[in-house]
């Protein structure tokens, strides 16, 4: 597994690059280049800010950053001239836009963030639309994470899959993803409530609080072990059979947990592949790694 990416540091670097260089386009003929440079930096900063806010489970602020990035990318796209492409066999030529590699990559970055947004704020979105419509919209995203979880749950016979928020250290209110009036008083969560499940699958199954002591124990014991997948087995009791827990941190404050009502091998390839692949994608490591291929374009 790769090391963590500090998006906070990247935002600071991007803002510094823009601040230092934007004033160098002083000649009027450089106006279009200055505008494109501004769109490049601003859209990237907004996307990285959205990633940071998403990892803190801050719904409304994240929406605003995604919207700003979308607006900047559209404004940049409007400046790209269309080129005439001749079809084969004497057919009519058509006009098409050929986007710069950086614009294409930023669009890809935005797409993965929208996919991630649909997973992290699934419950918030579900309250605003019909379940069938939400499912249809999520299936159109570049990575249907909810669909992937559904497939994994059926294939592995997992009892449940959770995304758990570690709210300690977060300044914003965490209930409802911070989607409430900032002046509305809300009591700070205490005890186990500081580790709320922000997503649970199957979505129609009641969250089992009996698992939470084990989940919290694993989160705390794995806090200093980087991004490795951890496995824990709980002995059978009168209340439940032997349970297997697989847990991995996918963001600084968010953990992915898969629970099974039987003893699963810690080397189970299906479980390991799902957990590690989900972690890489949710951390945006996969899309960042794709920069290498775009740089060669």
């Amino acid at each position: 597994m790769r090391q963590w990416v500090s998006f906070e540091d990247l935002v600071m670097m991007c803002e510094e690059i823009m601040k230092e260089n934007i004033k160098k386009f002083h000649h009027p003929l450089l106006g279009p280049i200055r505008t494109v440079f501004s769109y490049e930096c601003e859209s990237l900063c907004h996307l990285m800010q959205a990633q940071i806010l998403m990892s803190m489970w801050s719904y409304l602020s994240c929406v605003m950053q995604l919207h700003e990035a979308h607006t900047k990318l559209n404004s940049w796209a409007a400046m790209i001239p269309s080129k005439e492409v001749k079809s084969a066999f004497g057919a009519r030529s058509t006009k098409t836009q050929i986007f710069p590699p950086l614009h294409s990559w930023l669009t890809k970055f935005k797409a993965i963030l929208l996919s991630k947004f649909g997973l992290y704020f699934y419950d918030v979105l579900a309250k605003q639309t019909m379940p069938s419509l939400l499912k249809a919209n999520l299936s159109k995203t570049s990575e249907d994470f909810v669909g992937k979880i559904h497939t994994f749950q059926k294939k592995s016979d997992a009892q449940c899959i959770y995304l758990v928020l570690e709210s300690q250290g977060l300044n914003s209110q965490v209930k409802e993803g911070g989607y409430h009036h900032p002046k509305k008083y809300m009591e700070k969560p205490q005890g186990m409530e500081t580790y709320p499940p922000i997503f649970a699958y199957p979505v129609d199954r009641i969250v089992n609080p009996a698992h939470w002591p084990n989940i919290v124990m694993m989160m705390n014991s794995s806090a200093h072990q980087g991004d490795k997948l951890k496995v824990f087995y709980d002995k059978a009791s009168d209340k439940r059979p032997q349970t297997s827990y697989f847990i991995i941190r996918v963001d600084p404050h968010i953990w992915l947990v898969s629970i099974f009502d039987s003893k699963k091998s810690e080397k189970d390839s299906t479980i390991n592949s799902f957990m590690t692949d989900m972690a890489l994608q949710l951390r945006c490591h996969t899309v960042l790694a794709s920069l290498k291929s775009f740089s060669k374009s």
Side-chain angles (χ1 to χ4, degrees):
M1 299 290 285
R2 299 177 177 86
Q3 296 296 319
W4 286 97
V5 175
S6 175
F7 285 95
E8 290 84 355
D9 290 345
L10 291 178
V11 169
M12 292 177 60
M13 292 170 62
C14 185
E15 291 176 343
E16 187 65 26
I17 289 172
M18 183 175 178
K19 181 180 178 181
E20 289 295 321
N21 293 281
I22 194 69
K23 55 189 175 184
K24 296 180 181 179
F25 301 99
H26 51 79
H27 196 282
L29 292 178
L30 298 178
I33 299 178
R34 173 192 172 100
T35 302
V36 171
F37 174 75
S38 176
Y39 286 151
E40 290 175 354
C41 294
E42 290 178 2
S43 57
L44 178 58
C45 283
H46 286 308
L47 289 173
M48 291 192 294
Q49 288 282 14
Q51 155 62 21
I52 294 169
L53 291 164
M54 210 177 301
S55 69
M56 298 169 64
W57 209 51
S58 181
Y59 175 84
L60 189 56
S61 299
C62 183
V63 169
M64 298 301 293
Q65 292 295 331
L66 288 172
H67 175 72
E68 288 294 328
H70 177 75
T71 301
K72 299 297 182 184
L73 287 173
N74 280 351
S75 298
W76 181 5
M79 296 180 63
I80 300 172
S82 299
K83 292 186 178 181
E84 188 171 323
V85 179
K86 293 184 178 180
S87 303
F89 308 109
R92 291 183 178 180
S93 59
T94 58
K95 290 187 176 182
T96 184
Q97 282 184 301
I98 301 177
F99 295 101
L102 180 57
H103 187 283
S104 299
W105 181 83
L106 288 169
T107 301
K108 184 178 180 180
F109 188 16
K110 186 190 76 171
I112 195 68
L113 288 177
L114 289 174
S115 301
K116 181 176 175 177
F117 182 89
L119 173 63
Y120 279 25
F121 299 104
Y122 183 90
D123 288 347
V124 179
L125 297 173
K127 296 176 182 178
Q128 303 176 33
T129 185
M130 299 293 292
S132 58
L133 184 58
L134 178 58
K135 181 179 179 180
N137 287 332
L138 291 178
S139 67
K140 297 176 183 177
T141 57
S142 62
E143 294 291 340
D144 182 7
F145 289 119
V146 177
K148 285 186 175 183
I149 291 174
H150 168 77
T151 301
F152 168 73
Q153 193 263 343
K154 294 294 184 183
K155 184 177 181 180
S156 65
D157 198 28
Q159 183 203 33
C160 49
I161 297 100
Y162 295 121
L163 279 176
V164 183
L165 175 69
E166 184 181 1
S167 65
Q168 293 176 335
L170 296 181
N171 295 325
S172 60
Q173 297 282 0
V174 297
K175 290 187 177 180
E176 299 296 332
Y179 189 43
H180 57 266
H181 195 280
K183 293 185 178 180
K184 179 182 177 181
Y185 173 75
M186 297 188 73
E187 293 184 0
K188 290 186 177 181
Q190 302 291 331
M192 291 294 175
E193 292 182 354
T194 58
Y195 301 90
I198 62 174
F199 175 84
Y201 192 88
V203 294
D204 57 350
R205 185 175 296 173
I206 299 175
V207 174
N208 188 351
H211 291 303
W212 245 245
N214 287 333
I215 291 175
V216 173
M217 180 270 294
M218 290 187 68
M219 290 170 64
N220 290 331
S221 64
S222 304
H224 303 292
Q225 297 182 6
D227 50 12
K228 296 180 180 179
L229 175 64
K230 303 296 293 183
V231 184
F232 174 75
Y233 300 106
D234 194 17
K235 295 181 180 180
S237 65
D238 296 336
K239 295 183 179 180
R240 64 173 185 267
Q242 184 175 20
T243 308
S244 302
Y245 298 86
F246 289 76
I247 184 170
I248 191 168
R249 183 158 52 182
V250 297
D251 261 325
H253 293 276
I254 297 177
W255 301 72
L256 175 65
V257 184
S258 294
I259 303 175
F260 301 85
D261 280 338
S262 60
K263 186 172 183 179
K264 293 285 187 177
S265 171
E266 61 182 21
K267 297 181 180 179
D268 188 299
S269 59
T270 299
I271 301 173
N272 276 263
S273 295
F274 168 76
M275 298 291 286
T276 53
D277 289 348
M278 285 285 289
L280 285 174
Q281 288 188 308
L282 292 174
R283 293 171 190 159
C284 297
H285 282 178
T286 304
V287 70
L288 290 176
S290 69
L291 265 175
K292 294 181 180 179
S293 60
F294 276 98
S295 65
K296 298 177 183 178
S297 302

